[in-house]
Amino acid sequence: AGQLPETLNRIMPEAVTDVHRAYINAGADVISTNSFGANAVKLAPFGLDSESEVFLAVSLAKKAADEADRKIYVAADIGPTGKLMPPLGDFSFEEAVNVFKNQAKALAAADVDGFVIETMMDLQEARAALIAVRELYCDAPVMVTLTFDENQRTLTGVTPDAALITLQ
């Protein structure tokens, strides 16, 4: 409690690698790094920086991938910052792009095969993450997922159709 899941990369690296191995053994051809919250906004209160945290996350996933008897792809996992953009909050779109650029730059430097931008509740934050990744690494495969409620709306009221059109 009170810790980021990414801290497990440091305090229990073998357990994290075992989770990757379990996915591979279950038949996964793509595994995602334990870097969901490894952005400056979430890491700063813990005195951690994105570059070292994502490098460790990628290295653990690559360790499991390298042990496999077939090609396993490592996808960089990028999650939300936890901040809200206007009109609901004061986190600007430009700030979001820069936070995600720093995280994506570190993930790409660790040589990932693609990116998973996931569990976004705000379309603008998902868009900021996608722009950050695309501006730096336009050829890498990218998958984006958003969270919708029972009324098929994001937290900020966006429909799946509107999200698809915007992200395309």
Side-chain angles (χ1 to χ4, degrees), residues 94-129:
E94 292 77 19
E95 287 176 297
V97 170
N98 288 330
V99 165
F100 291 123
K101 255 189 203 178
N102 289 335
Q103 185 180 9
K105 183 177 180 181
L107 286 159
D111 199 27
V112 295
D113 299 305
F115 294 85
V116 176
I117 299 166
E118 66 156 316
T119 323
M120 296 290 187
M121 293 186 272
D122 179 5
L123 177 60
Q124 291 308 317
E125 189 172 34
R127 188 172 150 259

PDB file of all heavy atoms in Angstrom, residues 94-129:
ATOM      1  N   GLU A  94       0.138  20.570 -23.248  1.00  0.00           N
ATOM      2  CA  GLU A  94       1.577  20.640 -23.516  1.00  0.00           C
ATOM      3  C   GLU A  94       2.376  19.956 -22.415  1.00  0.00           C
ATOM      4  O   GLU A  94       3.359  19.265 -22.689  1.00  0.00           O
ATOM      5  CB  GLU A  94       2.028  22.101 -23.682  1.00  0.00           C
ATOM      6  CG  GLU A  94       1.480  22.774 -24.924  1.00  0.00           C
ATOM      7  CD  GLU A  94       0.013  23.202 -24.792  1.00  0.00           C
ATOM      8  OE1 GLU A  94      -0.511  23.316 -23.654  1.00  0.00           O
ATOM      9  OE2 GLU A  94      -0.635  23.392 -25.833  1.00  0.00           O
ATOM     10  N   GLU A  95       1.975  20.159 -21.150  1.00  0.00           N
ATOM     11  CA  GLU A  95       2.647  19.477 -20.036  1.00  0.00           C
ATOM     12  C   GLU A  95       2.516  17.966 -20.185  1.00  0.00           C
ATOM     13  O   GLU A  95       3.485  17.226 -19.969  1.00  0.00           O
ATOM     14  CB  GLU A  95       2.041  19.898 -18.693  1.00  0.00           C
ATOM     15  CG  GLU A  95       2.386  21.284 -18.239  1.00  0.00           C
ATOM     16  CD  GLU A  95       1.650  21.631 -16.955  1.00  0.00           C
ATOM     17  OE1 GLU A  95       0.396  21.678 -16.980  1.00  0.00           O
ATOM     18  OE2 GLU A  95       2.336  21.851 -15.945  1.00  0.00           O
ATOM     19  N   ALA A  96       1.335  17.515 -20.549  1.00  0.00           N
ATOM     20  CA  ALA A  96       1.104  16.076 -20.717  1.00  0.00           C
ATOM     21  C   ALA A  96       1.981  15.511 -21.826  1.00  0.00           C
ATOM     22  O   ALA A  96       2.617  14.465 -21.652  1.00  0.00           O
ATOM     23  CB  ALA A  96      -0.373  15.803 -21.004  1.00  0.00           C
ATOM     24  N   VAL A  97       2.038  16.191 -22.963  1.00  0.00           N
ATOM     25  CA  VAL A  97       2.879  15.722 -24.065  1.00  0.00           C
ATOM     26  C   VAL A  97       4.326  15.612 -23.596  1.00  0.00           C
ATOM     27  O   VAL A  97       5.006  14.612 -23.853  1.00  0.00           O
ATOM     28  CB  VAL A  97       2.761  16.641 -25.305  1.00  0.00           C
ATOM     29  CG1 VAL A  97       3.829  16.287 -26.345  1.00  0.00           C
ATOM     30  CG2 VAL A  97       1.376  16.540 -25.919  1.00  0.00           C
ATOM     31  N   ASN A  98       4.825  16.613 -22.872  1.00  0.00           N
ATOM     32  CA  ASN A  98       6.214  16.586 -22.404  1.00  0.00           C
ATOM     33  C   ASN A  98       6.477  15.459 -21.413  1.00  0.00           C
ATOM     34  O   ASN A  98       7.522  14.804 -21.475  1.00  0.00           O
ATOM     35  CB  ASN A  98       6.608  17.934 -21.815  1.00  0.00           C
ATOM     36  CG  ASN A  98       6.780  18.989 -22.880  1.00  0.00           C
ATOM     37  OD1 ASN A  98       7.144  18.685 -24.016  1.00  0.00           O
ATOM     38  ND2 ASN A  98       6.513  20.234 -22.539  1.00  0.00           N
ATOM     39  N   VAL A  99       5.544  15.212 -20.511  1.00  0.00           N
ATOM     40  CA  VAL A  99       5.694  14.103 -19.552  1.00  0.00           C
ATOM     41  C   VAL A  99       5.774  12.780 -20.310  1.00  0.00           C
ATOM     42  O   VAL A  99       6.656  11.949 -20.054  1.00  0.00           O
ATOM     43  CB  VAL A  99       4.532  14.093 -18.531  1.00  0.00           C
ATOM     44  CG1 VAL A  99       4.459  12.767 -17.781  1.00  0.00           C
ATOM     45  CG2 VAL A  99       4.684  15.252 -17.557  1.00  0.00           C
ATOM     46  N   PHE A 100       4.872  12.583 -21.255  1.00  0.00           N
ATOM     47  CA  PHE A 100       4.867  11.335 -22.026  1.00  0.00           C
ATOM     48  C   PHE A 100       6.071  11.236 -22.964  1.00  0.00           C
ATOM     49  O   PHE A 100       6.585  10.145 -23.194  1.00  0.00           O
ATOM     50  CB  PHE A 100       3.549  11.171 -22.791  1.00  0.00           C
ATOM     51  CG  PHE A 100       2.381  10.912 -21.886  1.00  0.00           C
ATOM     52  CD1 PHE A 100       1.276  11.744 -21.901  1.00  0.00           C
ATOM     53  CD2 PHE A 100       2.383   9.829 -21.006  1.00  0.00           C
ATOM     54  CE1 PHE A 100       0.192  11.498 -21.071  1.00  0.00           C
ATOM     55  CE2 PHE A 100       1.308   9.580 -20.163  1.00  0.00           C
ATOM     56  CZ  PHE A 100       0.211  10.422 -20.196  1.00  0.00           C
ATOM     57  N   LYS A 101       6.542  12.368 -23.483  1.00  0.00           N
ATOM     58  CA  LYS A 101       7.740  12.352 -24.329  1.00  0.00           C
ATOM     59  C   LYS A 101       8.945  11.854 -23.541  1.00  0.00           C
ATOM     60  O   LYS A 101       9.737  11.056 -24.040  1.00  0.00           O
ATOM     61  CB  LYS A 101       8.035  13.741 -24.885  1.00  0.00           C
ATOM     62  CG  LYS A 101       7.685  13.921 -26.314  1.00  0.00           C
ATOM     63  CD  LYS A 101       8.220  15.245 -26.821  1.00  0.00           C
ATOM     64  CE  LYS A 101       7.421  15.665 -28.032  1.00  0.00           C
ATOM     65  NZ  LYS A 101       7.825  16.935 -28.573  1.00  0.00           N
ATOM     66  N   ASN A 102       9.090  12.339 -22.323  1.00  0.00           N
ATOM     67  CA  ASN A 102      10.215  11.903 -21.490  1.00  0.00           C
ATOM     68  C   ASN A 102      10.141  10.411 -21.205  1.00  0.00           C
ATOM     69  O   ASN A 102      11.149   9.701 -21.267  1.00  0.00           O
ATOM     70  CB  ASN A 102      10.262  12.696 -20.186  1.00  0.00           C
ATOM     71  CG  ASN A 102      10.690  14.129 -20.407  1.00  0.00           C
ATOM     72  OD1 ASN A 102      11.365  14.448 -21.372  1.00  0.00           O
ATOM     73  ND2 ASN A 102      10.283  15.008 -19.513  1.00  0.00           N
ATOM     74  N   GLN A 103       8.952   9.926 -20.900  1.00  0.00           N
ATOM     75  CA  GLN A 103       8.785   8.500 -20.636  1.00  0.00           C
ATOM     76  C   GLN A 103       9.021   7.684 -21.903  1.00  0.00           C
ATOM     77  O   GLN A 103       9.740   6.684 -21.884  1.00  0.00           O
ATOM     78  CB  GLN A 103       7.384   8.231 -20.077  1.00  0.00           C
ATOM     79  CG  GLN A 103       7.173   6.790 -19.653  1.00  0.00           C
ATOM     80  CD  GLN A 103       5.775   6.527 -19.108  1.00  0.00           C
ATOM     81  OE1 GLN A 103       4.886   7.381 -19.191  1.00  0.00           O
ATOM     82  NE2 GLN A 103       5.580   5.362 -18.552  1.00  0.00           N
ATOM     83  N   ALA A 104       8.458   8.116 -23.019  1.00  0.00           N
ATOM     84  CA  ALA A 104       8.619   7.386 -24.285  1.00  0.00           C
ATOM     85  C   ALA A 104      10.064   7.383 -24.744  1.00  0.00           C
ATOM     86  O   ALA A 104      10.560   6.380 -25.263  1.00  0.00           O
ATOM     87  CB  ALA A 104       7.714   7.991 -25.357  1.00  0.00           C
ATOM     88  N   LYS A 105      10.750   8.495 -24.548  1.00  0.00           N
ATOM     89  CA  LYS A 105      12.153   8.579 -24.944  1.00  0.00           C
ATOM     90  C   LYS A 105      12.981   7.564 -24.170  1.00  0.00           C
ATOM     91  O   LYS A 105      13.813   6.854 -24.747  1.00  0.00           O
ATOM     92  CB  LYS A 105      12.676   9.996 -24.703  1.00  0.00           C
ATOM     93  CG  LYS A 105      14.096  10.205 -25.153  1.00  0.00           C
ATOM     94  CD  LYS A 105      14.509  11.658 -24.943  1.00  0.00           C
ATOM     95  CE  LYS A 105      15.942  11.862 -25.394  1.00  0.00           C
ATOM     96  NZ  LYS A 105      16.374  13.246 -25.180  1.00  0.00           N
ATOM     97  N   ALA A 106      12.747   7.459 -22.872  1.00  0.00           N
ATOM     98  CA  ALA A 106      13.481   6.497 -22.055  1.00  0.00           C
ATOM     99  C   ALA A 106      13.124   5.066 -22.440  1.00  0.00           C
ATOM    100  O   ALA A 106      13.999   4.191 -22.516  1.00  0.00           O
ATOM    101  CB  ALA A 106      13.193   6.740 -20.573  1.00  0.00           C
ATOM    102  N   LEU A 107      11.868   4.814 -22.707  1.00  0.00           N
ATOM    103  CA  LEU A 107      11.444   3.471 -23.105  1.00  0.00           C
ATOM    104  C   LEU A 107      12.047   3.079 -24.447  1.00  0.00           C
ATOM    105  O   LEU A 107      12.537   1.963 -24.620  1.00  0.00           O
ATOM    106  CB  LEU A 107       9.914   3.390 -23.158  1.00  0.00           C
ATOM    107  CG  LEU A 107       9.226   3.342 -21.792  1.00  0.00           C
ATOM    108  CD1 LEU A 107       7.775   3.767 -21.907  1.00  0.00           C
ATOM    109  CD2 LEU A 107       9.344   1.962 -21.178  1.00  0.00           C
ATOM    110  N   ALA A 108      12.030   3.987 -25.399  1.00  0.00           N
ATOM    111  CA  ALA A 108      12.600   3.690 -26.712  1.00  0.00           C
ATOM    112  C   ALA A 108      14.110   3.497 -26.622  1.00  0.00           C
ATOM    113  O   ALA A 108      14.671   2.638 -27.313  1.00  0.00           O
ATOM    114  CB  ALA A 108      12.254   4.797 -27.691  1.00  0.00           C
ATOM    115  N   ALA A 109      14.780   4.275 -25.764  1.00  0.00           N
ATOM    116  CA  ALA A 109      16.226   4.122 -25.590  1.00  0.00           C
ATOM    117  C   ALA A 109      16.564   2.746 -25.030  1.00  0.00           C
ATOM    118  O   ALA A 109      17.646   2.217 -25.275  1.00  0.00           O
ATOM    119  CB  ALA A 109      16.762   5.217 -24.674  1.00  0.00           C
ATOM    120  N   ALA A 110      15.628   2.149 -24.318  1.00  0.00           N
ATOM    121  CA  ALA A 110      15.826   0.795 -23.778  1.00  0.00           C
ATOM    122  C   ALA A 110      15.486  -0.265 -24.825  1.00  0.00           C
ATOM    123  O   ALA A 110      15.527  -1.452 -24.534  1.00  0.00           O
ATOM    124  CB  ALA A 110      14.993   0.602 -22.525  1.00  0.00           C
ATOM    125  N   ASP A 111      15.125   0.180 -26.028  1.00  0.00           N
ATOM    126  CA  ASP A 111      14.939  -0.696 -27.191  1.00  0.00           C
ATOM    127  C   ASP A 111      13.709  -1.604 -27.105  1.00  0.00           C
ATOM    128  O   ASP A 111      13.796  -2.810 -27.254  1.00  0.00           O
ATOM    129  CB  ASP A 111      16.203  -1.530 -27.427  1.00  0.00           C
ATOM    130  CG  ASP A 111      16.259  -2.104 -28.834  1.00  0.00           C
ATOM    131  OD1 ASP A 111      15.676  -1.499 -29.751  1.00  0.00           O
ATOM    132  OD2 ASP A 111      16.859  -3.175 -29.000  1.00  0.00           O
ATOM    133  N   VAL A 112      12.547  -0.991 -26.890  1.00  0.00           N
ATOM    134  CA  VAL A 112      11.302  -1.751 -26.905  1.00  0.00           C
ATOM    135  C   VAL A 112      10.847  -1.969 -28.344  1.00  0.00           C
ATOM    136  O   VAL A 112      11.305  -1.298 -29.262  1.00  0.00           O
ATOM    137  CB  VAL A 112      10.194  -1.045 -26.093  1.00  0.00           C
ATOM    138  CG1 VAL A 112      10.558  -0.986 -24.621  1.00  0.00           C
ATOM    139  CG2 VAL A 112       9.907   0.336 -26.647  1.00  0.00           C
ATOM    140  N   ASP A 113       9.935  -2.919 -28.520  1.00  0.00           N
ATOM    141  CA  ASP A 113       9.435  -3.256 -29.856  1.00  0.00           C
ATOM    142  C   ASP A 113       8.197  -2.462 -30.250  1.00  0.00           C
ATOM    143  O   ASP A 113       7.810  -2.441 -31.415  1.00  0.00           O
ATOM    144  CB  ASP A 113       9.118  -4.754 -29.925  1.00  0.00           C
ATOM    145  CG  ASP A 113      10.356  -5.602 -29.682  1.00  0.00           C
ATOM    146  OD1 ASP A 113      11.364  -5.404 -30.395  1.00  0.00           O
ATOM    147  OD2 ASP A 113      10.335  -6.445 -28.766  1.00  0.00           O
ATOM    148  N   GLY A 114       7.541  -1.836 -29.304  1.00  0.00           N
ATOM    149  CA  GLY A 114       6.326  -1.072 -29.558  1.00  0.00           C
ATOM    150  C   GLY A 114       5.839  -0.456 -28.262  1.00  0.00           C
ATOM    151  O   GLY A 114       6.510  -0.551 -27.225  1.00  0.00           O
ATOM    152  N   PHE A 115       4.672   0.158 -28.321  1.00  0.00           N
ATOM    153  CA  PHE A 115       4.125   0.876 -27.173  1.00  0.00           C
ATOM    154  C   PHE A 115       2.672   0.492 -26.939  1.00  0.00           C
ATOM    155  O   PHE A 115       1.915   0.306 -27.889  1.00  0.00           O
ATOM    156  CB  PHE A 115       4.200   2.390 -27.412  1.00  0.00           C
ATOM    157  CG  PHE A 115       5.593   2.917 -27.482  1.00  0.00           C
ATOM    158  CD1 PHE A 115       6.308   2.894 -28.668  1.00  0.00           C
ATOM    159  CD2 PHE A 115       6.212   3.446 -26.353  1.00  0.00           C
ATOM    160  CE1 PHE A 115       7.595   3.378 -28.743  1.00  0.00           C
ATOM    161  CE2 PHE A 115       7.507   3.932 -26.419  1.00  0.00           C
ATOM    162  CZ  PHE A 115       8.202   3.896 -27.607  1.00  0.00           C
ATOM    163  N   VAL A 116       2.293   0.406 -25.669  1.00  0.00           N
ATOM    164  CA  VAL A 116       0.902   0.221 -25.268  1.00  0.00           C
ATOM    165  C   VAL A 116       0.551   1.404 -24.365  1.00  0.00           C
ATOM    166  O   VAL A 116       1.088   1.529 -23.267  1.00  0.00           O
ATOM    167  CB  VAL A 116       0.688  -1.109 -24.505  1.00  0.00           C
ATOM    168  CG1 VAL A 116      -0.750  -1.223 -24.029  1.00  0.00           C
ATOM    169  CG2 VAL A 116       1.072  -2.294 -25.356  1.00  0.00           C
ATOM    170  N   ILE A 117      -0.315   2.269 -24.855  1.00  0.00           N
ATOM    171  CA  ILE A 117      -0.837   3.387 -24.065  1.00  0.00           C
ATOM    172  C   ILE A 117      -2.178   2.900 -23.565  1.00  0.00           C
ATOM    173  O   ILE A 117      -3.084   2.649 -24.357  1.00  0.00           O
ATOM    174  CB  ILE A 117      -0.976   4.646 -24.947  1.00  0.00           C
ATOM    175  CG1 ILE A 117       0.387   5.053 -25.508  1.00  0.00           C
ATOM    176  CG2 ILE A 117      -1.625   5.778 -24.161  1.00  0.00           C
ATOM    177  CD1 ILE A 117       0.311   6.056 -26.639  1.00  0.00           C
ATOM    178  N   GLU A 118      -2.300   2.720 -22.245  1.00  0.00           N
ATOM    179  CA  GLU A 118      -3.488   1.992 -21.791  1.00  0.00           C
ATOM    180  C   GLU A 118      -4.228   2.613 -20.617  1.00  0.00           C
ATOM    181  O   GLU A 118      -3.697   3.406 -19.870  1.00  0.00           O
ATOM    182  CB  GLU A 118      -3.087   0.559 -21.431  1.00  0.00           C
ATOM    183  CG  GLU A 118      -2.171   0.461 -20.250  1.00  0.00           C
ATOM    184  CD  GLU A 118      -2.239  -0.880 -19.570  1.00  0.00           C
ATOM    185  OE1 GLU A 118      -3.353  -1.397 -19.373  1.00  0.00           O
ATOM    186  OE2 GLU A 118      -1.173  -1.386 -19.201  1.00  0.00           O
ATOM    187  N   THR A 119      -5.467   2.193 -20.538  1.00  0.00           N
ATOM    188  CA  THR A 119      -6.357   2.504 -19.435  1.00  0.00           C
ATOM    189  C   THR A 119      -6.553   4.005 -19.258  1.00  0.00           C
ATOM    190  O   THR A 119      -6.708   4.486 -18.148  1.00  0.00           O
ATOM    191  CB  THR A 119      -5.849   1.846 -18.125  1.00  0.00           C
ATOM    192  OG1 THR A 119      -5.298   0.573 -18.421  1.00  0.00           O
ATOM    193  CG2 THR A 119      -6.977   1.644 -17.133  1.00  0.00           C
ATOM    194  N   MET A 120      -6.522   4.721 -20.348  1.00  0.00           N
ATOM    195  CA  MET A 120      -6.728   6.169 -20.292  1.00  0.00           C
ATOM    196  C   MET A 120      -8.214   6.454 -20.089  1.00  0.00           C
ATOM    197  O   MET A 120      -9.060   5.816 -20.696  1.00  0.00           O
ATOM    198  CB  MET A 120      -6.234   6.828 -21.577  1.00  0.00           C
ATOM    199  CG  MET A 120      -4.750   6.705 -21.803  1.00  0.00           C
ATOM    200  SD  MET A 120      -3.863   7.712 -20.609  1.00  0.00           S
ATOM    201  CE  MET A 120      -2.208   7.574 -21.205  1.00  0.00           C
ATOM    202  N   MET A 121      -8.510   7.420 -19.218  1.00  0.00           N
ATOM    203  CA  MET A 121      -9.897   7.803 -18.965  1.00  0.00           C
ATOM    204  C   MET A 121     -10.249   9.125 -19.622  1.00  0.00           C
ATOM    205  O   MET A 121     -11.399   9.505 -19.681  1.00  0.00           O
ATOM    206  CB  MET A 121     -10.153   7.878 -17.464  1.00  0.00           C
ATOM    207  CG  MET A 121     -10.068   6.521 -16.800  1.00  0.00           C
ATOM    208  SD  MET A 121     -10.540   6.558 -15.083  1.00  0.00           S
ATOM    209  CE  MET A 121      -8.981   6.953 -14.340  1.00  0.00           C
ATOM    210  N   ASP A 122      -9.221   9.832 -20.106  1.00  0.00           N
ATOM    211  CA  ASP A 122      -9.409  11.130 -20.753  1.00  0.00           C
ATOM    212  C   ASP A 122      -8.816  11.047 -22.157  1.00  0.00           C
ATOM    213  O   ASP A 122      -7.630  10.750 -22.324  1.00  0.00           O
ATOM    214  CB  ASP A 122      -8.704  12.209 -19.932  1.00  0.00           C
ATOM    215  CG  ASP A 122      -8.807  13.599 -20.537  1.00  0.00           C
ATOM    216  OD1 ASP A 122      -9.514  13.781 -21.554  1.00  0.00           O
ATOM    217  OD2 ASP A 122      -8.168  14.510 -19.989  1.00  0.00           O
ATOM    218  N   LEU A 123      -9.628  11.281 -23.150  1.00  0.00           N
ATOM    219  CA  LEU A 123      -9.169  11.216 -24.529  1.00  0.00           C
ATOM    220  C   LEU A 123      -8.006  12.164 -24.786  1.00  0.00           C
ATOM    221  O   LEU A 123      -7.072  11.834 -25.515  1.00  0.00           O
ATOM    222  CB  LEU A 123     -10.319  11.511 -25.501  1.00  0.00           C
ATOM    223  CG  LEU A 123      -9.955  11.548 -26.982  1.00  0.00           C
ATOM    224  CD1 LEU A 123      -9.373  10.208 -27.438  1.00  0.00           C
ATOM    225  CD2 LEU A 123     -11.168  11.915 -27.805  1.00  0.00           C
ATOM    226  N   GLN A 124      -8.031  13.347 -24.203  1.00  0.00           N
ATOM    227  CA  GLN A 124      -6.943  14.302 -24.434  1.00  0.00           C
ATOM    228  C   GLN A 124      -5.615  13.794 -23.869  1.00  0.00           C
ATOM    229  O   GLN A 124      -4.559  14.008 -24.454  1.00  0.00           O
ATOM    230  CB  GLN A 124      -7.294  15.678 -23.876  1.00  0.00           C
ATOM    231  CG  GLN A 124      -8.391  16.362 -24.647  1.00  0.00           C
ATOM    232  CD  GLN A 124      -8.116  16.409 -26.151  1.00  0.00           C
ATOM    233  OE1 GLN A 124      -7.020  16.677 -26.601  1.00  0.00           O
ATOM    234  NE2 GLN A 124      -9.142  16.106 -26.942  1.00  0.00           N
ATOM    235  N   GLU A 125      -5.654  13.104 -22.750  1.00  0.00           N
ATOM    236  CA  GLU A 125      -4.428  12.532 -22.197  1.00  0.00           C
ATOM    237  C   GLU A 125      -3.937  11.390 -23.089  1.00  0.00           C
ATOM    238  O   GLU A 125      -2.730  11.277 -23.349  1.00  0.00           O
ATOM    239  CB  GLU A 125      -4.632  12.052 -20.763  1.00  0.00           C
ATOM    240  CG  GLU A 125      -3.319  11.666 -20.108  1.00  0.00           C
ATOM    241  CD  GLU A 125      -3.441  11.360 -18.634  1.00  0.00           C
ATOM    242  OE1 GLU A 125      -4.483  10.817 -18.198  1.00  0.00           O
ATOM    243  OE2 GLU A 125      -2.480  11.656 -17.914  1.00  0.00           O
ATOM    244  N   ALA A 126      -4.839  10.571 -23.582  1.00  0.00           N
ATOM    245  CA  ALA A 126      -4.456   9.497 -24.516  1.00  0.00           C
ATOM    246  C   ALA A 126      -3.854  10.102 -25.774  1.00  0.00           C
ATOM    247  O   ALA A 126      -2.839   9.624 -26.292  1.00  0.00           O
ATOM    248  CB  ALA A 126      -5.671   8.639 -24.865  1.00  0.00           C
ATOM    249  N   ARG A 127      -4.464  11.158 -26.259  1.00  0.00           N
ATOM    250  CA  ARG A 127      -3.959  11.852 -27.453  1.00  0.00           C
ATOM    251  C   ARG A 127      -2.566  12.435 -27.190  1.00  0.00           C
ATOM    252  O   ARG A 127      -1.680  12.345 -28.043  1.00  0.00           O
ATOM    253  CB  ARG A 127      -4.952  12.944 -27.841  1.00  0.00           C
ATOM    254  CG  ARG A 127      -4.657  13.614 -29.147  1.00  0.00           C
ATOM    255  CD  ARG A 127      -5.825  14.551 -29.542  1.00  0.00           C
ATOM    256  NE  ARG A 127      -5.287  15.633 -30.302  1.00  0.00           N
ATOM    257  CZ  ARG A 127      -5.027  16.858 -29.853  1.00  0.00           C
ATOM    258  NH1 ARG A 127      -5.313  17.177 -28.615  1.00  0.00           N
ATOM    259  NH2 ARG A 127      -4.508  17.760 -30.639  1.00  0.00           N
ATOM    260  N   ALA A 128      -2.361  13.016 -26.017  1.00  0.00           N
ATOM    261  CA  ALA A 128      -1.048  13.575 -25.666  1.00  0.00           C
ATOM    262  C   ALA A 128       0.016  12.482 -25.656  1.00  0.00           C
ATOM    263  O   ALA A 128       1.124  12.668 -26.172  1.00  0.00           O
ATOM    264  CB  ALA A 128      -1.111  14.273 -24.307  1.00  0.00           C
ATOM    265  N   ALA A 129      -0.316  11.328 -25.091  1.00  0.00           N
ATOM    266  CA  ALA A 129       0.638  10.209 -25.056  1.00  0.00           C
ATOM    267  C   ALA A 129       0.933   9.706 -26.467  1.00  0.00           C
ATOM    268  O   ALA A 129       2.088   9.434 -26.812  1.00  0.00           O
ATOM    269  CB  ALA A 129       0.094   9.083 -24.181  1.00  0.00           C
TER     270      ALA A 129
END
